[in-house]
Amino acid sequence: MCTVCGCETATHEEHAVASPQADAHGHHHDHPHAHSHTHDPIDFGAGPAGLEVAGLTQERTIRIERDILSKNAAYAGLNRDRLAASRTFAVNLVSSPGSGKTSLLVRAITDLHAHWPIAVIEGDQQTSRDADRIRAAGAEAVQINTGKGCHLDAHMVGHALDRLPQAEGGLLFIENVGNLVCPAAFDLGEASRVVVLSVTEGEDKPLKYPDMFAGSELMLLNKVDLLPHVDFDVDACMAAALRVNPRIQILQVSARTGQGLGAFYAWIEGRAGAPPCR
Ligand code: MG
């Protein structure tokens, strides 16, 4: 989890490793464990912290994560208050890189901007390419570059909100950094998290990265126009998503052809309320 992997600003204490012993493979360990050659995974998430960070105890890992996430939660609360004041419906769009988030947004902006004021916050490690595409489609956009960071946090989003118009009753889409792991931990102050998965990825992604799907209200299964050309089991994918989140809603869509997007727009209206301009 990136709350403690080094991409946050918290200082990480260096701990002396007590008499590390090199094993037969040349690896150094300061903790004992059995060397069994089974097909079971080597599970670094079995401890109370849910992860292991070299040089940190489980207790220290938990303390750092709590500290970072509690600060983030405070900023997220401020963002949520600001968005509520302008009755803005905010969606945090998460996925792996390449699932089609920006293309979905470009299509949605083209279809919806006559009815809703729409603003977009774009998160990428580098470049303003996505914000440029969003502006060309007709919406206000602020690009956040995270540098080596692997997710947006609520503090970054607050700064982006400072630069965006707060249109009454509008929509705010926050396109998170493409990453199915780290963005799962960070509340940005959004009303809803929507995960995008495309049929060019594996149908077992929800089982491999359950936190992202467990915390999402809606899954958009994108690029369904490509289904005749790829080996992708839609039923298995939906079963996997429902296994980690029995309440997740699932829509099959294509940003390229527009298939299924009417249902997505109906979902937005159901959550955001009627658009200000019919
Ligand atoms: Mg993008």
Side-chain angles (χ1 to χ4, degrees), residues 102 122 124 130 175:
T102 315
E122 282 290 342
D124 281 300
D130 282 3
E175 182 183 337

Side-chain angles (χ1 to χ4, degrees), residues 205-224:
K205 284 289 184 291
L207 301 177
K208 292 177 172 176
Y209 303 97
D211 287 355
M212 191 59 88
F213 293 84
S216 294
E217 182 178 347
L218 173 69
M219 179 173 98
L220 296 176
L221 185 58
N222 191 26
K223 308 188 188 181
V224 291

